[in-house]
Amino acid sequence: MRTYFFLLIVILLSGCDPQANESITSPYQSKIEDLLARMTIEEKAGQLTLYTSGWTVTGPALRDDYMDELRAGRAGNLFNAHTVSYARELQRIAVEETRLGIPLLFGLDVIHGYKTTYPIPLAEACTWDLNIIEKTARLYAKEATSAGVNWNFNPVVDICRDPRWGRIAEASGEDVYLGSLIGAAKVRGIQGDDLSDPETMLACVKHYAAYGASQAGRDYHTVDMSDRTLRDTYLPPYRAAVDAGAATVMASFNELHGVPATGSEYLMKQILRDEWGFNGFVVSDYTGVMEMIKHGIVENEKQAAELAFKAGVEMDMQSGFYSKYLPELIREGKISESALDEYVGKVLELKYRLGLFDDPYKYLDSVRESETLFSREFFDHGLLSAKESIVLLKNEGQLLPLSKNIPSVALIGPLADNKKDLLGTWHVAGIAEKVVTLKAGIENVASNVRINYVRGTGFEGNDRSGFNEAISAARRSDVVIMAIGENYQQSGEAASRSDIGLPGNQSQLLEAIAATGKPVVVVLMAGRPLTIGWMDENIPAILNTWHLGTMAGQAIAETLFGDNNPSGKLTITFPRNVGQIPIYYNMKNTGRPFNEADKYTSKYLDVSNEPLYPFGYGLSYTAFEYADLNLSADRMTKNEQIEVSVTVTNSGDFTGEEVVQLYIRDLVGSVTRPVRELKGYEKIRLNPGESKVVTFTITNEELKFYTFEKKWESEPGFFQVFVGTNSTEVLESRFELL
Ligand code: GLC
């Protein structure tokens, strides 16, 4: 039984509450000071420099110029240089061929798996299961560290309310409370509780800050918002990950308040260090330092290096400007060597904490690598995570689950017998050959069912040459399973879409198949919510499976044929159309909330204000009834608490899991307040006929917000309490804070 009570996140958002950045004396202080005393300025700048290793068909290959920098001690960190055989040689060069032998950090984007791939983060967030999420991070850290990686550019904690943005796939959706819990869980999984353990690695919280608010959902676009929105909605997950002990932070590409994050002292020093007490190091995102020239905040490379350094970005990924210009800037007195020493000290501190000075090859054991890759436990957990990530959007007439005794199914669509695309975006080292396709999954789970498979169409263009074969397969089958959606390159970085419908002519194929009159189940695979209005109106069963990774096909097949009862709940709103975006559950009421009887209220002429599917939504093969919402009191002081209880009953025929959700609404505040805010949840499992009383505790902590006076406080007044199966289907009560 996986249940969650409140996990309080005390997020001090106020800028008026700086936490003294106590200078914690490192146990390595004397060693660091001794090393700094022996380093040249060039070698110090090298420790603040990070380069990518290229890959060729024969494997990783560091560019010659980077190899020269490495040998000269001017490149102290690398990424994309995994596999032990390759990284070991690079580490040998650093340790044995450079003057001081300082070991390298090896970074990589291990976003949702190393060689074993788990569901994309947006999918796994729909489990609402922090144990699953933390264990996934623990397992991909175990696998990646066996291949030499000791620094993970993860977790991605960017809140996003705009599914046009392709990188929505990489994080946890729209909610600040859940996004904060998930970000902290991933830091715990990645870093474990001892960085010197060879199965743990440095985490890197990204992309700081508010990258998910790129205008119009267009990647790398301008971010512009009030400081209030920044602190209420976008900052808390970064703070939660920092509070969970994240060793590093990555600056985002975007500007904020008119300044690129890479050059923002407000973000990198005032908030991150002075308010939050972060004492790790910040790395730029890729060529973020260089990009400040194109942003138009500096004129040239040297100014870019100076601005980023002075803003508080300790390490320069990929532009090479720190290595190139910091020595000059020091000699010109524009940057102090004491500041340089402070930055280099932070990098050396983490290399010591990883144990790299004691044993530079501790992550580079080829026997461990061969014994660890593709461990059974990775696949077993991957299957569990995938099954729990699936969201049942529609099941008219209980078409699902299918019987394993049906004679035949037509399996149609470009994702039906597909390996690579089921890995999803940012699968990086993921191995497509290991993926269980949906076709293979069905063969495993329902071996008596004849499968009439037809790809039917692709992901772009309008080639209809496969339609007739698909239609005939449908006509000669009892049920149709359509595996449609996006390929892995249609979400993720630089993959924004202005139209988030089914790509290519998949909609036309779906309509043609539906016209046969056969019962159709859609298995929807994508890296974002899609606008599927026609599907919602015309297709009886829709299973939203995202991109689920190595075990995708097995998990989907077990769900289609009833071995798994879907329990996923959306952590991102599904809009009816792009015109509604941004649309999210915790919106403000406005002065003219929609009223059907009044023309002059907030609405569209051509579409409802309501989403297609709301935050927190997800069906089950069984049914859950909510009753008897009770509050232990109808008022409380700031020092008291109220117990909220509700009875949930499984009134259906299947054992199932349900995420019971608690929301509040602060009816009147010194600033306007959202109509809903998630403040707790509990995931329960009930057998048919079984009931459970679920209890939540509301304390003053859950009522705090960033007031008009910019203090993180609660304010007296009336609150509504909502408990239910999603953010709109709820039981309601209220209480007063005195
Ligand atoms: C990319 C991404 C970032 C990633 C980095 C290194 O551009 O923005 O998330 O960690 O480069 O791959």
Side-chain angles (χ1 to χ4, degrees):
M1 175 90 70
R2 294 186 302 282
T3 63
Y4 295 99
F5 299 98
F6 271 98
L7 292 173
L8 295 186
I9 298 184
V10 178
I11 302 168
L12 301 177
L13 297 180
S14 159
C16 317
D17 183 16
Q19 289 180 350
N21 188 357
E22 304 86 27
S23 56
I24 302 160
T25 307
S26 160
Y28 309 107
Q29 197 59 36
S30 59
K31 291 179 178 178
I32 291 169
E33 286 168 2
D34 165 65
L35 194 46
L36 287 168
R38 292 184 284 129
M39 293 172 76
T40 66
I41 291 178
E42 287 71 19
E43 288 165 336
K44 291 176 182 176
Q47 286 301 308
L48 305 184
T49 296
L50 169 66
Y51 290 123
T52 181
S53 170
W55 279 69
T56 65
V57 289
T58 57
L62 193 62
R63 274 172 30 179
D64 293 344
D65 55 341
Y66 292 162
M67 187 64 89
D68 295 343
E69 293 297 285
L70 173 61
R71 286 200 160 92
R74 291 192 299 264
N77 314 278
L78 296 174
F79 71 102
N80 288 340
H82 48 103
T83 70
V84 165
S85 59
Y86 179 63
R88 194 171 180 89
E89 172 55 13
L90 295 169
Q91 191 71 296
R92 186 199 64 75
I93 292 171
V95 170
E96 297 179 10
E97 296 187 14
T98 65
R99 192 175 74 86
L100 293 169
I102 299 173
L104 298 167
L105 285 180
F106 287 101
L108 186 68
D109 295 281
V110 186
I111 307 301
H112 55 110
Y114 179 62
K115 292 205 182 281
T116 308
T117 304
Y118 301 91
I120 59 170
L122 185 61
E124 196 175 55
C126 294
T127 69
W128 295 52
D129 189 321
L130 301 181
N131 290 333
I132 285 180
I133 292 166
E134 182 172 339
K135 182 166 183 185
T136 298
R138 183 84 301 276
L139 292 180
Y140 59 58
K142 187 174 177 181
E143 194 177 42
T145 52
S146 81
V149 184
N150 48 44
W151 182 19
N152 187 355
F153 304 144
N154 198 27
V156 184
V157 299
D158 305 322
I159 293 292
C160 181
R161 294 167 160 172
D162 188 335
R164 292 171 293 182
W165 191 53
R167 304 199 76 167
I168 198 169
E170 298 173 47
S172 302
E174 69 191 49
D175 183 63
V176 58
Y177 173 86
L178 188 57
S180 299
L181 292 176
I182 290 174
K186 289 185 177 179
V187 169
R188 293 193 300 268
I190 291 165
Q191 295 192 167
D193 50 21
D194 176 4
L195 284 178
S196 68
D197 179 333
E199 294 188 351
T200 65
M201 56 203 308
L202 305 180
C204 183
V205 188
K206 70 186 188 182
H207 304 79
Y208 181 67
Y211 181 27
S214 296
Q215 281 179 355
R218 182 155 61 92
D219 205 1
Y220 314 123
H221 203 346
T222 303
V223 171
D224 196 10
M225 65 177 68
S226 69
D227 203 54
R228 171 171 304 287
T229 300
L230 175 69
R231 288 173 176 273
D232 272 346
T233 301
Y234 289 89
L235 286 185
Y238 303 105
R239 172 71 191 269
V242 164
D243 286 353
T248 67
V249 170
M250 184 181 290
S252 56
F253 290 125
N254 56 279
E255 71 167 66
L256 186 65
H257 297 353
V259 177
T262 311
S264 169
E265 193 168 334
Y266 178 61
L267 286 175
M268 300 305 160
K269 287 187 177 175
Q270 182 180 324
I271 294 177
L272 187 59
R273 297 180 197 285
D274 297 346
E275 292 180 28
W276 298 355
F278 174 67
N279 53 23
F281 71 77
V282 175
V283 60
S284 71
D285 188 351
Y286 215 63
T287 49
V289 175
M290 178 189 294
E291 293 167 30
M292 291 204 285
I293 299 169
K294 287 183 178 167
H295 271 291
I297 198 86
V298 292
E299 288 180 2
N300 56 50
E301 295 182 355
K302 188 174 175 182
Q303 287 179 6
E306 182 179 3
L307 177 60
F309 187 94
K310 287 182 173 176
V313 174
E314 280 86 2
M315 190 178 290
D316 165 19
M317 179 194 290
Q318 204 53 27
S319 73
F321 290 1
Y322 277 17
S323 195
K324 191 170 177 184
Y325 296 105
L326 287 187
E328 266 178 66
L329 290 164
I330 297 280
R331 293 189 182 102
E332 292 165 3
K334 291 182 179 169
I335 287 175
S336 69
E337 188 157 4
S338 62
L340 181 64
D341 287 353
E342 182 195 336
Y343 285 22
V344 177
K346 287 181 177 143
V347 176
L348 297 176
E349 164 82 20
L350 286 172
K351 292 185 175 183
Y352 271 108
R353 286 179 59 193
L354 285 170
L356 292 175
F357 280 96
D358 294 334
D359 176 6
Y361 303 100
K362 68 183 290 185
Y363 288 90
L364 299 166
D365 175 344
S366 55
V367 171
R368 177 189 160 208
E369 181 183 43
S370 61
E371 289 172 350
T372 303
L373 295 179
F374 305 120
S375 299
R376 183 73 244 156
E377 70 172 325
F378 302 157
F379 294 131
D380 292 346
H381 183 72
L383 176 58
L384 170 65
S385 175
K387 289 193 290 188
E388 300 279 309
S389 300
I390 293 172
V391 182
L392 178 60
L393 298 179
K394 185 178 178 185
N395 192 20
E396 195 174 32
Q398 293 295 310
L399 175 59
L400 292 175
L402 301 174
S403 161
K404 294 179 182 179
N405 298 318
I406 53 174
S408 64
V409 297
L411 179 61
I412 298 169
L415 290 155
D417 190 22
N418 184 322
K419 289 179 178 277
K420 182 93 171 177
D421 291 316
L422 271 57
L423 289 174
T425 185
W426 279 107
H427 59 262
V428 184
I431 303 298
E433 290 68 46
K434 292 285 186 179
V435 170
V436 179
T437 67
L438 177 53
K439 182 169 179 288
I442 296 173
E443 288 161 350
N444 295 340
V445 170
S447 54
N448 296 327
V449 175
R450 188 175 69 253
I451 300 173
N452 300 313
Y453 163 66
V454 178
R455 186 171 191 269
T457 191
F459 296 100
E460 43 199 31
N462 189 23
D463 176 4
R464 300 168 72 100
S465 59
F467 278 34
N468 288 340
E469 186 189 0
I471 292 166
S472 95
R475 288 197 172 119
R476 64 176 187 275
S477 304
D478 297 271
V479 175
V480 181
I481 298 172
M482 294 285 293
I484 51 181
E486 294 178 328
N487 66 31
Y488 83 93
Q489 294 171 308
Q490 290 171 321
S491 63
E493 184 170 359
S496 295
R497 296 179 63 207
S498 69
D499 172 354
I500 54 174
L502 285 169
N505 64 3
Q506 296 179 78
S507 293
Q508 289 82 345
L509 176 61
L510 177 61
E511 290 172 24
I513 296 300
T516 65
K518 292 288 183 176
V520 177
V521 176
V522 166
V523 176
L524 187 64
M525 302 187 200
R528 57 162 57 83
L530 300 183
T531 46
I532 53 171
W534 186 89
M535 189 189 298
D536 177 63
E537 286 172 13
N538 297 281
I539 301 300
I542 305 170
L543 210 52
N544 182 64
T545 69
W546 311 106
H547 289 136
L548 293 174
T550 306
M551 300 304 287
Q554 184 68 23
I556 299 167
E558 289 189 20
T559 306
L560 286 170
F561 287 91
D563 294 341
N564 172 57
N565 182 2
S567 60
K569 297 281 188 178
L570 294 177
T571 62
I572 184 70
T573 299
F574 268 58
R576 293 178 183 279
N577 63 29
V578 168
Q580 285 186 316
I581 295 170
I583 180 171
Y584 45 95
Y585 84 94
N586 47 348
M587 299 187 95
K588 299 298 188 67
N589 203 37
T590 79
R592 292 196 176 192
F594 174 62
N595 173 355
E596 197 163 3
D598 182 348
K599 168 183 170 65
Y600 299 97
T601 55
S602 184
K603 68 174 183 307
Y604 301 97
L605 293 180
D606 55 355
V607 72
S608 154
N609 289 356
E610 298 310 311
L612 187 60
Y613 307 113
F615 177 85
Y617 176 88
L619 301 178
S620 170
Y621 292 154
T622 195
F624 294 102
E625 309 298 334
Y626 284 70
D628 305 328
L629 175 62
N630 284 303
L631 273 57
S632 58
D634 62 4
R635 69 198 62 185
M636 64 181 252
T637 66
K638 293 190 175 184
N639 304 316
E640 294 173 326
Q641 60 188 41
I642 286 178
E643 308 299 325
V644 178
S645 65
V646 69
T647 303
V648 184
T649 300
N650 179 344
S651 57
D653 304 325
F654 291 84
T655 293
E657 291 177 303
E658 171 72 345
V659 179
V660 182
Q661 300 158 44
L662 171 80
Y663 299 86
I664 67 156
R665 178 182 180 182
D666 185 349
L667 287 166
V668 176
S670 55
V671 292
T672 58
R673 310 283 295 117
V675 295
R676 289 275 193 290
E677 291 179 281
L678 179 69
K679 289 295 181 182
Y681 67 91
E682 184 174 336
K683 189 166 187 177
I684 62 175
R685 185 180 185 83
L686 294 177
N687 295 317
E690 188 180 2
S691 292
K692 177 179 167 72
V693 177
V694 176
T695 303
F696 300 99
T697 302
I698 293 180
T699 71
N700 190 47
E701 281 309 309
E702 283 69 54
L703 310 180
K704 289 182 177 179
F705 67 101
Y706 192 52
T707 65
F708 181 78
E709 301 299 329
K710 299 194 176 183
K711 294 187 183 309
W712 183 246
E713 292 176 340
S714 63
E715 294 174 344
F718 287 94
F719 290 78
Q720 286 174 300
V721 176
F722 308 98
V723 178
T725 186
N726 60 54
S727 56
T728 56
E729 295 172 76
V730 291
L731 299 178
E732 177 193 331
S733 186
R734 60 173 51 199
F735 67 92
E736 183 182 6
L737 177 66
L738 302 175

